[in-house]
Amino acid sequence: MATNSTLTDVPIPLIPRIEYDTLPKVTLNVTDSQGRNRKREARECNSPEVELLIKTITHHEALVDSLDMKDKATEQLQTFREMLNEELRDSFDNVIVEHEINVTSVAAIKLAQRMWLALFIPVNTGYEREKEYILTVKKPFGKDTTWLYMRLMIISKLLGWFPREPPVEDRQNKSVFTTDEIRFMLYKKQPEAFQKKLSDAGKVYTEMTTSQLCEYFNRLRVEEAKEQGKKRPSTTATTATKEATRNNNGFRGGGRGGRGRGRLGGRGGRGNNNWCNRDHGPGVQAHLWKDCDDNPFKRKSSVGQPQQQPQQQQKKSCWTPRGGGNIVKTKT
């Protein structure tokens, strides 16, 4: 039995490597029990991931049941091969040829499927490795207990398809783990702090249902998230911090070396209300930058200058009199 199971050596990890619903779709042309041609959409398995292989077989069984093709071996074989990509289809055909399986019956097709799975899952060893891994792995961070319960139930049914010697055919599509084992895993995969809170509350996990465990641990997870949110430092800056930021960054004319983000400020921190630092030679008194002649944005004073009346623009309007022709009238 493996002792150090990791995501690289376990057949089915707790978090799927590839979601089955992300596989490409393929259109199947099938014949139902009444001889009618029908089209069905299915997923095309394009990866040797163990979970995808088993789910392809189970979805094929559901398709056979929906079209009432339980006794039609030829149609079942054809539809299953169409649900595989070229590489996996070739591997399935090779199993049939090498083991000389006469796929003229439904039982022979199921036998070929089980032997095909053995190419990707070591007999007995794969089952033991997967079971040990799923019993010891912790709940992933960011996943709640409801997700964990649903995932454990899926893997428990997939385990029934793992090849074992002697074969255990009655375990296919049935949960391998008992309810007590599922309850134990829901408890042991929680953080130790959550396990302690459950015992401090006077509760015993063996006396709780799986739904009660999911509800309790989900509530602890929400409470912990709220508590961590309260401990985080506030991201709102104080008034003093905002004022210092304005001065350092050259806000509205900025400080020394700042970018001067004001309307008249510029790079280098020369704000509009700062003193001019240019050398104008002797005889020029100190003055503000806004009053400097070198300031391209300096506002010209209108003191002592006569105000000019705005010129009236002539507006022209045009209309056509009854006699024809255009008469232009000027309005002032």
Side-chain angles (χ1 to χ4, degrees):
M1 180 182 296
T3 55
N4 294 321
S5 298
T6 63
L7 287 179
T8 57
D9 61 11
V10 294
I12 303 178
L14 189 58
I15 298 180
R17 299 186 184 98
I18 303 176
E19 294 286 352
Y20 183 79
D21 293 338
T22 62
L23 295 179
K25 291 183 178 181
V26 60
T27 302
L28 305 177
N29 295 317
V30 296
T31 305
D32 60 11
S33 58
Q34 299 179 2
R36 294 174 300 184
N37 293 328
R38 292 188 177 184
K39 292 184 178 181
R40 287 289 188 273
E41 280 192 349
R43 299 289 178 177
E44 182 186 55
C45 187
N46 57 6
S47 171
E49 285 288 332
V50 173
E51 182 172 356
L52 301 181
L53 300 178
I54 298 176
K55 285 186 175 181
T56 300
I57 296 177
T58 57
H59 281 70
H60 175 257
E61 289 184 344
L63 178 65
V64 170
D65 292 339
S66 65
L67 295 174
D68 195 14
M69 297 192 314
K70 296 181 180 180
D71 299 329
K72 295 190 173 184
T74 304
E75 286 78 2
Q76 288 190 29
L77 179 63
Q78 177 184 353
T79 54
F80 181 71
R81 293 180 71 256
E82 291 178 357
M83 294 174 67
L84 306 175
N85 69 350
E86 183 178 358
E87 182 178 357
L88 294 175
R89 190 184 308 123
D90 291 342
S91 65
F92 179 71
D93 293 341
N94 290 336
V95 169
I96 296 176
V97 174
E98 290 178 4
H99 296 274
E100 298 180 353
I101 302 176
N102 185 12
V103 287
T104 56
S105 65
V106 176
I109 295 175
K110 293 184 178 297
L111 174 63
Q113 291 174 340
R114 291 195 300 269
M115 299 186 71
W116 177 63
L117 283 177
L119 297 178
F120 308 95
I121 310 173
V123 179
N124 293 336
T125 305
Y127 176 84
E128 297 293 341
R129 184 184 303 165
E130 178 67 28
K131 192 171 183 179
E132 181 199 8
Y133 161 78
I134 211 64
L135 285 171
T136 56
V137 67
K138 285 291 186 180
K139 180 178 73 68
F141 179 79
K143 301 293 185 180
D144 60 13
T145 308
T146 303
W147 176 91
L148 176 63
Y149 171 73
M150 298 299 296
R151 187 63 184 155
L152 290 176
M153 293 301 296
I154 292 175
I155 296 178
S156 182
K157 290 184 178 180
L158 295 177
L159 266 172
W161 286 90
F162 279 50
R164 283 181 281 174
E165 292 293 344
V168 188
E169 299 180 5
D170 60 333
R171 299 304 302 175
Q172 293 179 0
N173 291 329
K174 295 181 180 179
S175 180
V176 171
F177 296 110
T178 64
T179 304
D180 292 338
E181 289 176 321
I182 294 292
R183 187 187 295 113
F184 171 77
M185 286 187 287
L186 290 178
Y187 171 75
K188 292 298 292 184
K189 295 182 187 305
Q190 302 295 330
E192 294 182 359
F194 284 11
Q195 299 179 24
K196 185 176 184 302
K197 286 185 178 181
L198 186 139
S199 59
D200 292 344
K203 298 179 180 294
V204 181
Y205 79 90
T206 55
E207 299 176 357
M208 303 172 66
T209 63
T210 54
S211 60
Q212 289 174 341
L213 285 172
C214 290
E215 181 181 357
Y216 181 80
F217 287 125
N218 285 343
R219 185 170 66 251
L220 291 183
R221 181 171 176 267
V222 173
E223 292 175 355
E224 182 186 53
K226 291 181 179 179
E227 190 66 23
Q228 290 178 353
K230 292 180 181 180
K231 293 180 180 181
R232 294 173 182 172
S234 176
T235 56
T236 305
T238 61
T239 305
T241 304
K242 291 180 179 179
E243 187 66 26
T245 304
R246 290 195 199 100
N247 295 335
N248 292 334
N249 291 343
F251 183 78
R252 292 186 62 84
R256 182 181 182 88
R259 180 179 284 274
R261 293 183 298 174
R263 180 173 178 268
L264 300 181
R267 185 180 295 274
R270 181 181 294 135
N272 197 39
N273 293 323
N274 293 347
W275 291 100
C276 177
N277 56 9
R278 293 198 175 188
D279 185 10
H280 295 284
V284 179
Q285 298 180 353
H287 55 275
L288 297 176
W289 172 246
K290 67 179 182 179
D291 298 327
C292 182
D293 294 336
D294 293 342
N295 187 355
F297 300 100
K298 177 182 178 182
R299 297 180 180 179
K300 297 182 180 180
S301 176
S302 60
V303 179
Q305 297 181 1
Q307 296 183 355
Q308 299 180 357
Q309 295 294 335
Q311 297 181 357
Q312 296 183 354
Q313 297 180 355
Q314 294 183 350
K315 299 181 180 179
K316 295 182 179 182
S317 62
C318 179
W319 72 91
T320 303
R322 286 187 176 181
N326 295 334
I327 297 178
V328 178
K329 183 180 179 181
T330 302
K331 295 182 179 180
T332 59

